[in-house]
Amino acid sequence: MMEITLQHYLVLSTILFAIGLIGVMRRKNLLLLFFATEILLNAVNIAFAAISSYYGDLTGQMFAFFIIAVAASEVAVGLGLLVLWYKRTGKIDLDAMTSMRG
Amino acid sequence: MEAIAFYLFAVLTTVMFLITVLTNHALYALSALAAGMIFISAFFFLLGADFLGAIQIIVYTGAVMALYAFGMMFFDTTRDVVESRTSPQIIFGLSGLAALTVVAMFTAPIISENITALYPAIDGVGNSQMVGMVLFTKFLIPFEVAAVMLLVAMIAGIVLAGKKMDHSLTLMKEEEIERETNEKAQV
Protein backbone atom coordinates (compact mmCIF):
# COMPACT_ATOMS: atom_id res chain seq x y z
CA MET A 1 0.00 0.00 0.00
CA MET A 2 1.16 3.51 -0.72
CA GLU A 3 1.96 5.81 2.11
CA ILE A 4 -0.52 8.44 3.23
CA THR A 5 1.06 11.87 2.82
CA LEU A 6 0.04 15.39 3.72
CA GLN A 7 -1.38 15.84 0.22
CA HIS A 8 -3.90 13.06 0.84
CA TYR A 9 -5.26 14.85 3.86
CA LEU A 10 -5.33 18.18 2.04
CA VAL A 11 -7.24 16.62 -0.87
CA LEU A 12 -9.76 15.11 1.55
CA SER A 13 -10.10 18.43 3.35
CA THR A 14 -10.69 20.19 0.04
CA ILE A 15 -13.34 17.66 -0.99
CA LEU A 16 -15.18 18.10 2.31
CA PHE A 17 -14.89 21.89 2.05
CA ALA A 18 -16.37 21.74 -1.47
CA ILE A 19 -19.25 19.61 -0.15
CA GLY A 20 -19.87 22.22 2.53
CA LEU A 21 -19.81 24.99 -0.08
CA ILE A 22 -22.33 23.08 -2.18
CA GLY A 23 -24.53 22.92 0.91
CA VAL A 24 -24.18 26.66 1.55
CA MET A 25 -25.09 27.37 -2.08
CA ARG A 26 -28.00 24.96 -2.17
CA ARG A 27 -29.74 25.37 1.16
CA LYS A 28 -32.52 27.84 1.83
CA ASN A 29 -33.57 26.40 5.16
CA LEU A 30 -31.49 28.14 7.83
CA LEU A 31 -31.08 25.07 10.06
CA LEU A 32 -29.62 23.06 7.19
CA LEU A 33 -27.47 26.06 6.25
CA PHE A 34 -25.97 25.81 9.76
CA PHE A 35 -25.22 22.14 9.12
CA ALA A 36 -23.32 23.12 5.96
CA THR A 37 -21.22 25.65 7.90
CA GLU A 38 -20.35 22.93 10.42
CA ILE A 39 -19.04 20.84 7.52
CA LEU A 40 -16.88 23.77 6.37
CA LEU A 41 -15.38 24.19 9.86
CA ASN A 42 -14.66 20.46 10.16
CA ALA A 43 -12.96 20.31 6.77
CA VAL A 44 -10.61 23.09 7.83
CA ASN A 45 -9.96 21.31 11.15
CA ILE A 46 -8.74 18.21 9.28
CA ALA A 47 -6.31 20.34 7.25
CA PHE A 48 -5.00 22.01 10.44
CA ALA A 49 -4.50 18.70 12.24
CA ALA A 50 -2.78 17.14 9.22
CA ILE A 51 -0.36 20.03 8.76
CA SER A 52 0.27 20.06 12.51
CA SER A 53 1.09 16.36 12.44
CA TYR A 54 3.29 16.34 9.34
CA TYR A 55 5.38 19.35 10.37
CA GLY A 56 5.61 18.23 14.00
CA ASP A 57 4.16 21.52 15.20
CA LEU A 58 1.34 21.96 17.69
CA THR A 59 0.10 25.35 16.43
CA GLY A 60 -2.28 23.70 13.95
CA GLN A 61 -3.93 21.70 16.70
CA MET A 62 -4.28 24.85 18.80
CA PHE A 63 -6.07 26.59 15.94
CA ALA A 64 -8.34 23.57 15.56
CA PHE A 65 -9.23 23.86 19.27
CA PHE A 66 -10.17 27.49 18.94
CA ILE A 67 -12.19 26.73 15.80
CA ILE A 68 -14.14 24.13 17.78
CA ALA A 69 -14.74 26.68 20.56
CA VAL A 70 -15.92 29.26 18.02
CA ALA A 71 -18.21 26.68 16.38
CA ALA A 72 -19.76 25.77 19.73
CA SER A 73 -20.55 29.39 20.62
CA GLU A 74 -21.77 30.07 17.07
CA VAL A 75 -24.25 27.22 17.42
CA ALA A 76 -25.50 28.49 20.78
CA VAL A 77 -26.10 32.05 19.56
CA GLY A 78 -27.33 31.03 16.10
CA LEU A 79 -29.80 28.50 17.39
CA GLY A 80 -31.09 31.03 19.92
CA LEU A 81 -31.70 33.55 17.16
CA LEU A 82 -33.30 30.85 15.00
CA VAL A 83 -35.71 29.80 17.75
CA LEU A 84 -36.62 33.44 18.33
CA TRP A 85 -37.22 34.01 14.61
CA TYR A 86 -39.31 30.84 14.32
CA LYS A 87 -41.45 31.92 17.28
CA ARG A 88 -42.12 35.27 15.57
CA THR A 89 -42.65 34.28 11.95
CA GLY A 90 -43.26 30.53 11.92
CA LYS A 91 -40.72 29.82 9.21
CA ILE A 92 -36.94 29.65 8.93
CA ASP A 93 -36.54 30.17 5.21
CA LEU A 94 -33.74 32.43 4.08
CA ASP A 95 -35.92 33.98 1.37
CA ALA A 96 -38.58 34.99 3.89
CA MET A 97 -35.99 37.00 5.82
CA THR A 98 -36.12 40.10 3.68
CA SER A 99 -37.32 42.64 6.21
CA MET A 100 -34.51 45.04 5.31
CA ARG A 101 -35.48 46.67 2.05
CA GLY A 102 -32.95 49.09 0.67
CA MET B 1 -2.92 -0.35 7.68
CA GLU B 2 -2.97 3.41 7.98
CA ALA B 3 -3.84 3.68 4.30
CA ILE B 4 -6.81 1.31 4.67
CA ALA B 5 -8.12 3.27 7.65
CA PHE B 6 -7.60 6.58 5.85
CA TYR B 7 -9.46 5.53 2.70
CA LEU B 8 -12.26 3.83 4.65
CA PHE B 9 -12.93 6.89 6.78
CA ALA B 10 -12.44 9.26 3.85
CA VAL B 11 -15.18 7.48 1.89
CA LEU B 12 -17.46 7.26 4.93
CA THR B 13 -17.05 10.94 5.82
CA THR B 14 -17.60 12.08 2.25
CA VAL B 15 -20.74 9.97 1.89
CA MET B 16 -22.13 11.17 5.22
CA PHE B 17 -21.54 14.83 4.42
CA LEU B 18 -23.00 14.38 0.94
CA ILE B 19 -26.14 12.97 2.56
CA THR B 20 -26.20 15.97 4.94
CA VAL B 21 -25.96 18.41 2.05
CA LEU B 22 -28.23 16.72 -0.47
CA THR B 23 -31.09 15.20 1.54
CA ASN B 24 -34.45 16.92 1.78
CA HIS B 25 -35.20 15.56 5.21
CA ALA B 26 -33.89 17.51 8.22
CA LEU B 27 -33.64 14.47 10.51
CA TYR B 28 -31.55 12.52 7.98
CA ALA B 29 -29.27 15.53 7.65
CA LEU B 30 -28.82 15.72 11.43
CA SER B 31 -28.05 12.00 11.81
CA ALA B 32 -25.65 11.97 8.86
CA LEU B 33 -23.86 15.06 10.20
CA ALA B 34 -23.43 13.44 13.63
CA ALA B 35 -22.01 10.29 12.01
CA GLY B 36 -19.66 12.37 9.86
CA MET B 37 -18.36 14.22 12.95
CA ILE B 38 -17.51 10.87 14.60
CA PHE B 39 -15.72 9.68 11.46
CA ILE B 40 -13.72 12.91 11.35
CA SER B 41 -12.42 12.24 14.85
CA ALA B 42 -10.91 9.03 13.39
CA PHE B 43 -8.63 11.19 11.24
CA PHE B 44 -7.45 13.06 14.33
CA PHE B 45 -6.59 9.75 16.00
CA LEU B 46 -4.77 8.63 12.85
CA LEU B 47 -2.77 11.87 12.86
CA GLY B 48 -1.72 11.39 16.48
CA ALA B 49 -3.85 14.26 17.74
CA ASP B 50 -5.57 12.17 20.41
CA PHE B 51 -6.79 15.08 22.52
CA LEU B 52 -8.29 16.83 19.51
CA GLY B 53 -10.11 13.62 18.53
CA ALA B 54 -11.62 13.26 21.99
CA ILE B 55 -12.62 16.94 21.97
CA GLN B 56 -14.18 16.47 18.52
CA ILE B 57 -16.39 13.63 19.79
CA ILE B 58 -17.28 15.38 23.06
CA VAL B 59 -17.96 18.87 21.70
CA TYR B 60 -19.38 18.14 18.25
CA THR B 61 -21.34 14.93 18.62
CA GLY B 62 -21.97 15.42 22.32
CA ALA B 63 -22.78 19.10 22.67
CA VAL B 64 -23.39 20.63 19.25
CA MET B 65 -25.46 17.79 17.81
CA ALA B 66 -27.49 17.48 21.03
CA LEU B 67 -28.12 21.23 20.88
CA TYR B 68 -29.28 20.92 17.27
CA ALA B 69 -31.46 17.94 18.18
CA PHE B 70 -33.14 19.88 20.99
CA GLY B 71 -33.38 22.96 18.80
CA MET B 72 -35.15 20.93 16.14
CA MET B 73 -37.97 20.28 18.60
CA PHE B 74 -38.96 23.91 18.07
CA PHE B 75 -39.14 23.58 14.30
CA ASP B 76 -41.40 21.59 12.03
CA THR B 77 -38.88 18.97 10.89
CA THR B 78 -41.14 16.17 9.69
CA ARG B 79 -42.01 18.16 6.58
CA ASP B 80 -39.69 17.89 3.59
CA VAL B 81 -37.43 20.88 3.05
CA VAL B 82 -38.12 22.72 -0.16
CA GLU B 83 -35.12 24.34 -1.78
CA SER B 84 -35.60 27.10 -4.29
CA ARG B 85 -33.03 27.81 -6.97
CA THR B 86 -30.56 30.59 -6.41
CA SER B 87 -29.43 33.00 -9.07
CA PRO B 88 -26.67 31.72 -11.43
CA GLN B 89 -24.43 34.70 -10.61
CA ILE B 90 -24.14 33.62 -6.97
CA ILE B 91 -23.42 30.01 -7.92
CA PHE B 92 -20.79 31.17 -10.42
CA GLY B 93 -19.12 33.40 -7.86
CA LEU B 94 -19.07 30.80 -5.12
CA SER B 95 -17.78 28.10 -7.49
CA GLY B 96 -14.95 30.40 -8.46
CA LEU B 97 -14.22 30.98 -4.78
CA ALA B 98 -14.17 27.21 -4.18
CA ALA B 99 -11.73 26.68 -7.05
CA LEU B 100 -9.52 29.44 -5.69
CA THR B 101 -9.58 27.79 -2.26
CA VAL B 102 -8.46 24.49 -3.79
CA VAL B 103 -5.55 26.17 -5.55
CA ALA B 104 -4.54 28.02 -2.37
CA MET B 105 -4.68 24.87 -0.25
CA PHE B 106 -2.49 22.89 -2.62
CA THR B 107 0.08 25.61 -3.18
CA ALA B 108 0.41 26.65 0.47
CA PRO B 109 2.55 23.65 1.64
CA ILE B 110 4.56 23.70 -1.61
CA ILE B 111 5.73 27.31 -1.43
CA SER B 112 6.70 26.92 2.23
CA GLU B 113 9.26 24.12 1.94
CA ASN B 114 11.62 25.66 4.48
CA ILE B 115 8.96 25.74 7.18
CA THR B 116 10.12 25.09 10.75
CA ALA B 117 8.10 24.05 13.76
CA LEU B 118 7.28 26.95 16.08
CA TYR B 119 6.31 24.66 18.98
CA PRO B 120 7.97 21.34 18.07
CA ALA B 121 6.74 18.05 19.47
CA ILE B 122 8.79 16.72 22.38
CA ASP B 123 9.84 13.08 22.45
CA GLY B 124 8.44 10.91 25.22
CA VAL B 125 5.54 13.25 26.03
CA GLY B 126 1.96 12.30 25.22
CA ASN B 127 -0.19 14.39 22.96
CA SER B 128 -2.56 15.56 25.71
CA GLN B 129 0.33 16.61 27.94
CA MET B 130 1.98 18.46 25.06
CA VAL B 131 -1.28 20.23 24.21
CA GLY B 132 -1.62 21.31 27.82
CA MET B 133 1.95 22.63 27.92
CA VAL B 134 1.49 24.72 24.77
CA LEU B 135 -2.08 25.81 25.54
CA PHE B 136 -1.31 27.12 29.01
CA THR B 137 1.94 28.88 28.12
CA LYS B 138 1.87 30.22 24.57
CA PHE B 139 -1.89 30.33 23.99
CA LEU B 140 -3.08 31.35 27.45
CA ILE B 141 -4.68 34.66 26.44
CA PRO B 142 -6.59 33.21 23.44
CA PHE B 143 -7.69 30.39 25.75
CA GLU B 144 -9.11 32.86 28.29
CA VAL B 145 -10.72 34.92 25.53
CA ALA B 146 -12.34 31.73 24.18
CA ALA B 147 -13.64 30.99 27.68
CA VAL B 148 -15.20 34.47 27.93
CA MET B 149 -16.63 34.03 24.42
CA LEU B 150 -18.29 30.76 25.41
CA LEU B 151 -19.76 32.46 28.50
CA VAL B 152 -21.12 35.29 26.34
CA ALA B 153 -22.57 32.73 23.92
CA MET B 154 -24.25 30.86 26.78
CA ILE B 155 -25.83 34.03 28.17
CA ALA B 156 -26.89 35.07 24.66
CA GLY B 157 -28.50 31.68 24.07
CA ILE B 158 -30.43 31.90 27.33
CA VAL B 159 -31.55 35.47 26.68
CA LEU B 160 -32.59 34.78 23.07
CA ALA B 161 -34.34 31.43 23.40
CA GLY B 162 -35.46 31.66 27.02
CA LYS B 163 -38.34 34.11 26.65
CA LYS B 164 -41.38 33.08 28.69
CA MET B 165 -39.44 30.32 30.41
CA ASP B 166 -41.34 31.05 33.66
CA HIS B 167 -44.49 30.10 31.78
CA SER B 168 -44.18 26.34 32.35
CA LEU B 169 -46.74 23.95 30.95
CA THR B 170 -45.62 21.14 33.25
CA LEU B 171 -46.33 23.12 36.43
CA MET B 172 -49.81 24.29 35.35
CA LYS B 173 -53.03 22.51 36.21
CA GLU B 174 -55.11 20.87 33.48
CA GLU B 175 -57.87 23.50 33.67
CA GLU B 176 -55.43 26.35 33.26
CA ILE B 177 -53.98 24.81 30.10
CA GLU B 178 -57.45 24.17 28.70
CA ARG B 179 -58.54 27.74 29.41
CA GLU B 180 -55.47 29.07 27.72
CA THR B 181 -55.93 26.95 24.60
CA ASN B 182 -59.58 28.06 24.45
CA GLU B 183 -58.50 31.69 24.66
CA LYS B 184 -56.01 31.14 21.89
CA ALA B 185 -58.63 29.44 19.74
CA GLN B 186 -60.96 32.42 20.18
CA VAL B 187 -58.24 34.83 19.14
Side-chain angles (χ1 to χ4, degrees), chain A residues 1-2 4 6-17 19-29 31-32 34-35 38-39 41-43 45-47 49-50 53-59 61-77 79-84 86-87 92-93 95, chain B residues 2-4 6-7 10 13-14 17-18 20-24 29-30 33 37 40 43-44 46-47 49 51-52 55-56 59-60 64 67-68 71-72 74-76 81 83-84 86 91 94 98 101-102 105-106 109 112 115 117-121 127 130-131 134-135 139 142-143 146 149-150 153 156-157 160-161 163:
Chain A
M1 283 303 254
M2 55 195 273
I4 299 296
L6 177 59
Q7 306 299 326
H8 285 77
Y9 280 101
L10 288 183
V11 169
L12 175 75
S13 171
T14 315
I15 291 171
L16 295 181
F17 197 84
I19 291 173
L21 270 182
I22 291 169
V24 171
M25 280 187 259
R26 192 172 170 274
R27 291 299 189 193
K28 285 288 169 189
N29 186 307
L31 190 69
L32 297 177
F34 274 180
F35 288 177
E38 298 292 332
I39 294 174
L41 290 170
N42 269 288
N45 270 356
I46 290 181
S53 166
Y54 279 93
Y55 284 107
D57 190 350
L58 277 176
T59 318
Q61 286 184 37
M62 293 299 126
F63 268 90
F65 281 127
F66 292 121
I67 285 178
I68 289 178
V70 167
S73 43
E74 170 243 318
V75 168
V77 176
L79 213 60
L81 284 170
L82 215 57
V83 166
L84 194 68
Y86 190 76
K87 273 183 190 166
I92 44 172
D93 269 6
D95 286 338
Chain B
E2 195 202 346
I4 298 169
F6 174 80
Y7 285 116
T13 318
T14 313
F17 283 166
L18 273 176
T20 308
V21 163
L22 297 177
T23 185
N24 277 334
L30 180 81
L33 187 62
M37 300 293 186
I40 277 189
F43 293 117
F44 294 151
L46 275 178
L47 287 165
F51 192 67
L52 195 58
I55 289 291
Q56 169 85 9
V59 171
Y60 265 115
V64 170
L67 199 60
Y68 274 132
M72 276 169 87
F74 287 95
F75 311 123
D76 185 14
V81 182
E83 309 291 353
S84 52
T86 46
I91 289 183
L94 281 175
T101 314
V102 173
M105 284 179 87
F106 283 118
S112 54
I115 200 163
L118 199 57
Y119 305 118
N127 176 257
M130 228 151 43
V131 163
V134 176
L135 193 62
F139 288 88
F143 179 76
M149 184 187 66
L150 283 168
L160 286 170
K163 296 274 168 61

